[in-house]
Amino acid sequence: MPAASNLTEYLSSLPADRRDAFDRLMSAVAAVPGPPSNNSFVFLAGQTTHPEFDDAEAVFWKAVEQLHLRSAVNDGELPLVYWGFHSIDLLLRRHSNGILITDRTVYLDDVGHSSAHFATESVDPASIRVAGESLEVAGASVGLAQIANMLEPTTAPDAAAYLSAVVAAVQAAGHTVAGDGSAASAEPTQTVEQLVFASRMNSDFRVPSRPKDAKALNKLSTKWSLPADEVLLVSLSSSTFAGVYGIAITNKAVYSKDLMEPLFRTALENVEGFVWEPETKTFRVSNDHAAPTHPAITDDNRDYAASLLHNLARAAARE
């Protein structure tokens, strides 16, 4: 699936429940007053009128591409607010500096200096503050000295207060009220196939609905002797004369096998994640399960792939 070229295309590729979540979250974000001192720095998703720039929609989407899509933590994330500015490198390329807030992640990029991302739910709004000549989020920072001539006396503290309020609003709106009145997390309901098709690694994964993939999955199931009562939902695998290797997920477990090595299995309820261990060049699925890497996984997309695999395992547990 080609990458979306704007917010409208991106949202249209998502399931209806994610689009509904976007509308709900943007209503909460839009209710947070934007400080006039930050008119040049605040860009909202879907904003058609901006107090300073006619191309605000393009500015916002460029930030999404450079801060989020470049190393996305989750597929189907909903970009909501970008606070930032552009810098020009020696090759005259324009880069988005600043902070992007989505429903799931807060991304921060100080181009050429540092970058970080944090789960939105885990960010303490009070950790967003001005520290010297920097705007800080959970200890990571964007330097402001480079735009000193654009700042008004209250720009930096106003920005910190505004972004703190936005994060608090997203955290509050990211929960729905259950029937008994208790807070219930708005868990995404995408299927395994929907997550694969929406991902940037769509063509690397094998899913049963594609005839060519189905043949490869049947071969994997036979070679690995998977239980007959389990449904093979997806794999990131390849075949050689020495056999089939890679990672597979059924409706009950995560399996993995490297060439000339035994098969490993972890029940879905025991999957702790896909944590990269550089010493062994494997992904730690559970305490006694290390899954091999795959040629489709590179240094540039490893974090993305690890998070996608974890989300696929979570989706499999719901199916």
Side-chain angles (χ1 to χ4, degrees):
M1 178 181 292
S5 61
N6 55 54
L7 179 68
T8 301
E9 285 185 12
Y10 178 69
L11 292 175
S12 68
S13 73
L14 301 180
D17 65 321
R18 297 301 289 149
R19 296 195 297 271
D20 291 342
F22 174 80
D23 291 339
R24 183 181 70 252
L25 288 163
M26 277 311 303
S27 293
V29 168
V32 179
S37 65
N38 278 252
N39 281 347
S40 296
F41 304 102
V42 174
F43 300 85
L44 303 180
Q47 187 175 22
T48 55
T49 59
H50 191 277
E52 298 289 340
F53 304 108
D54 294 333
D55 62 345
E57 290 179 279
V59 171
F60 178 82
W61 191 248
K62 186 177 187 67
V64 171
E65 290 179 322
Q66 293 190 329
L67 276 75
H68 163 47
L69 295 182
R70 180 181 58 198
S71 56
V73 172
N74 289 292
D75 290 299
E77 277 190 81
L78 303 173
L80 304 170
V81 178
Y82 166 58
W83 183 98
F85 52 91
H86 287 159
S87 63
I88 307 295
D89 66 17
L90 294 176
L91 298 178
L92 302 181
R93 294 173 299 194
R94 189 179 295 271
H95 297 276
S96 301
N97 293 256
I99 298 161
L100 176 70
I101 299 173
T102 80
D103 64 321
R104 299 175 187 166
T105 312
V106 176
Y107 298 89
L108 181 147
D109 199 356
D110 190 358
V111 177
H113 298 283
S114 64
S115 63
H117 60 255
F118 310 95
T120 304
E121 190 67 25
S122 72
V123 174
D124 180 356
S127 74
I128 304 176
R129 62 192 185 93
V130 178
E133 294 185 314
S134 297
L135 182 59
E136 241 183 38
V137 178
S141 61
V142 174
L144 302 179
Q146 56 193 311
I147 55 168
N149 63 334
M150 298 173 60
L151 303 179
E152 300 175 19
T154 64
T155 299
D158 287 349
Y162 172 73
L163 292 171
S164 295
V166 167
V167 167
V170 173
Q171 290 173 342
H175 292 77
T176 57
V177 177
D180 60 0
S182 61
S185 177
E187 179 72 19
T189 58
Q190 288 174 285
T191 66
V192 167
E193 284 205 348
Q194 285 173 332
L195 283 171
V196 170
F197 293 155
S199 77
R200 292 183 287 123
M201 298 182 69
N202 174 31
S203 61
D204 299 310
F205 282 83
R206 302 185 188 278
V207 293
S209 65
R210 294 191 285 227
K212 185 177 179 180
D213 289 355
K215 183 177 180 180
L217 290 174
N218 286 335
K219 181 178 180 179
L220 181 152
S221 183
T222 299
K223 293 291 186 181
W224 290 8
S225 300
L226 298 186
D229 64 341
E230 295 188 23
V231 180
L232 182 51
L233 300 173
V234 65
S235 81
L236 181 63
S237 59
S238 294
S239 180
T240 72
F241 288 116
V244 180
Y245 69 96
I247 299 168
I249 301 174
T250 73
N251 63 327
K252 294 185 179 180
V254 171
Y255 292 86
S256 74
K257 190 179 188 306
D258 207 349
L259 291 174
M260 313 304 291
E261 296 291 337
L263 180 70
F264 287 88
R265 179 186 191 274
T266 296
L268 292 176
E269 61 267 24
N270 296 325
V271 171
E272 298 172 5
F274 285 79
V275 180
W276 177 248
E277 296 185 342
E279 301 82 7
T280 59
K281 299 188 184 305
T282 58
F283 293 96
R284 178 61 56 185
V285 178
S286 63
N287 186 53
D288 56 356
H289 184 171
T293 188
H294 185 272
I297 300 176
T298 66
D299 290 343
D300 291 334
N301 71 5
R302 186 177 293 118
D303 289 345
Y304 178 89
S307 182
L308 176 58
L309 284 164
H310 192 196
N311 285 338
L312 291 172
R314 292 170 62 198
R318 297 193 298 266
E319 291 191 20

